[in-house]
Amino acid sequence: SMREIDQVILSSMDLKLSFDIILNHVLNQLKVDAASILIYDAFSNRLEYKYGKGFVSTEINKTSLRMFESLAGQAAYKRESIFVANLHDKSGSKMAPLTSLEDFKSYYATPLIIKGEVKGVLEFFNRSSLEPDEMWKDMANTLAYQTAITLDTFEMFTGLQKSNHELTLAYDQTIEGWSRALDLRDKETEGHTQRVTEKTTRLAASMGIGGKELTFIRWGALLHDIGKMGIPDNILLKPGALTEEEREIIKKHTVFAHQLLSPIKYLEKSLDIPYCHHEKWDGSGYPRGLKGEEIPISARIFAIVDVWDALTSDRPYREAWSNEKTKEYILSLSGIQFDPEILRKVSTDAPDFGS
């Protein structure tokens, strides 16, 4: 019994399944008619019904007990097991309706304690007289301890999940803050980052990319121009045409992005877009001259969206192109600048190419 319960604790984070198996062993090993698990809520200082087995009515589901006002509460408060041979002697107690409906006679409760902390109470009910000997009590206490371990393991797991979620959220908010700072620096492209991030994420998802990989793509899109932090303002914000030398300096923003982000461990898998979004399918791009599928797929997806947004947005030196003109231009660069397969996917799933 202990081995089976241990295996469930180690292999499953399904609390209901774990409780179901534990209570099956309670009924089978201790030969009682019913059993319930009450969980202690420190905020309300109450014991709340969580799961039960062997009951013929739903009365047990209503169980919500304050400390001191119940047998289970006394077991939790005193941190010791309580045995009642005849529940009919407790006719004025909170348990009277349950005792009457279920015809229970004997009752045993033992606290769920682990690491010095009370997690709840394991209750045992029998419709005939119960005479627990030392071996029975030892088994009851062992099952209670296993129940406490199950609860503790589940709380640690859910706590870790919550911490991971909060950490990811903090990362996301930080990255969004960086991207907004970049937009504020260059008023001409304000809003560009948010638009291309949304469209890139949507396009990647339509191609079957999901989970953490999609999160990394989102972060990469948000940070695609982070390297421009290393470009002098007199070049980046120059109102007129750039010289050849200035264009070469601008091109270094992808290398600057790699230098800036690569030491940050959690952004390691988001580097592809900031570093490679100016690579071209035919190998004529920069900074490394990657060709075809040598270019990471996230960067190939983003490159299409980036050009689309740039051409369909107003700039001081030109008005925005129409969707149709932009689509025609981008398709003309299939196999030259852009991945032909991704272009086929985009033109099939999004007829206006910009949705």
Side-chain angles (χ1 to χ4, degrees):
S1 294
M2 294 307 101
R3 185 166 59 250
E4 184 177 344
I5 293 171
D6 283 341
Q7 287 172 346
V8 171
I9 293 172
L10 292 172
S11 64
S12 174
M13 284 298 109
D14 185 336
L15 196 59
K16 184 177 179 181
L17 173 64
S18 299
F19 282 166
D20 187 67
I21 290 174
I22 288 171
L23 292 185
N24 277 337
H25 285 291
V26 167
L27 302 188
N28 293 333
Q29 300 295 332
L30 298 178
K31 307 302 180 186
V32 292
D33 293 317
S36 70
I37 296 170
L38 309 181
I39 306 298
Y40 176 60
D41 182 349
F43 182 76
S44 63
N45 198 33
R46 300 181 78 89
L47 289 166
E48 305 283 353
Y49 171 79
K50 187 67 177 180
Y51 198 69
K53 215 167 186 62
F55 299 93
V56 296
S57 73
T58 59
E59 183 67 24
I60 188 68
N61 299 355
K62 302 175 185 177
T63 303
S64 177
L65 306 168
R66 289 187 299 177
M67 291 292 197
F68 311 114
E69 74 174 7
S70 64
L71 295 172
Q74 291 176 37
Y77 177 71
K78 294 178 180 179
R79 294 172 173 248
E80 62 184 33
S81 298
I82 288 180
F83 172 58
V84 178
N86 190 350
L87 284 170
H88 297 294
D89 295 339
K90 303 284 184 178
S91 57
S93 73
K94 293 280 184 179
M95 201 176 290
L98 178 67
T99 301
S100 175
L101 283 170
E102 298 280 353
D103 195 28
F104 288 139
K105 183 174 183 180
S106 299
Y107 173 84
Y108 190 91
T110 187
L112 307 176
I113 301 174
I114 188 167
K115 300 173 186 174
E117 184 180 352
V118 175
K119 296 288 184 181
V121 174
L122 179 58
E123 298 182 300
F124 310 84
F125 301 86
N126 213 45
R127 294 184 174 90
S128 59
S129 294
L130 187 65
E131 297 179 2
D133 57 20
E134 289 306 310
M135 185 177 293
W136 190 98
K137 291 178 182 178
D138 284 345
M139 186 61 179
N141 291 335
T142 300
L143 287 166
Y145 182 63
Q146 292 293 86
T147 307
I149 291 174
T150 302
L151 271 171
D152 189 58
T153 302
F154 179 77
E155 287 175 0
M156 285 194 294
F157 177 73
T158 53
L160 183 61
Q161 281 187 316
K162 182 181 178 183
S163 295
N164 284 340
H165 174 72
E166 290 173 349
L167 186 60
T168 301
L169 186 62
Y171 287 161
D172 201 66
Q173 290 173 340
T174 300
I175 292 166
E176 283 198 10
W178 290 349
S179 70
R180 282 194 296 271
L182 287 169
D183 275 355
L184 287 172
R185 188 181 182 211
D186 187 357
K187 290 291 185 179
E188 285 186 15
T189 59
E190 191 171 358
H192 165 75
T193 298
Q194 294 298 324
R195 291 194 301 272
V196 296
T197 298
E198 181 184 343
K199 289 178 181 178
T200 300
T201 305
R202 194 162 61 239
L203 177 54
S206 75
M207 296 177 65
I209 297 173
K212 288 184 177 179
E213 191 175 352
L214 194 60
T215 299
F216 295 138
I217 287 176
R218 169 180 158 76
W219 289 352
L222 283 168
L223 296 174
H224 73 280
D225 272 343
I226 190 72
K228 287 184 178 178
M229 295 291 287
I231 305 298
D233 284 353
N234 66 310
I235 297 176
L236 183 66
L237 307 179
K238 184 177 178 179
L242 296 175
T243 66
E244 187 61 34
E245 183 181 356
E246 288 169 339
R247 278 196 290 271
E248 289 303 313
I249 292 173
I250 286 283
K251 286 182 178 181
K252 290 182 180 178
H253 77 277
T254 55
V255 176
F256 292 157
H258 186 269
Q259 292 172 348
L260 180 65
L261 300 178
S262 56
I264 304 173
K265 188 67 177 176
Y266 79 89
L267 291 175
E268 191 174 55
K269 295 182 179 178
S270 298
L271 268 172
D272 288 341
I273 291 177
Y275 193 28
C276 304
H277 69 285
H278 284 294
E279 301 286 1
K280 296 182 180 180
W281 186 258
D282 65 1
S284 63
Y286 64 88
R288 291 179 290 166
L290 300 180
K291 184 177 181 180
E293 292 187 0
E294 292 175 351
I295 306 167
I297 189 169
S298 59
R300 282 180 269 149
I301 293 170
F302 179 84
I304 297 169
V305 175
D306 191 33
V307 172
W308 173 273
D309 188 78
L311 294 176
T312 55
S313 301
D314 286 324
R315 292 289 187 267
Y317 47 86
R318 62 156 173 81
E319 291 184 353
W321 287 14
S322 68
N323 282 3
E324 191 56 40
K325 180 180 178 181
T326 305
K327 177 179 179 180
E328 186 178 334
Y329 173 76
I330 289 178
L331 288 175
S332 74
L333 296 175
S334 176
I336 301 171
Q337 183 169 342
F338 304 118
D339 182 337
E341 193 59 39
I342 296 176
L343 283 179
R344 275 194 289 273
K345 173 71 176 175
V346 178
S347 58
T348 300
D349 292 355
D352 71 352
F353 219 65
S355 64

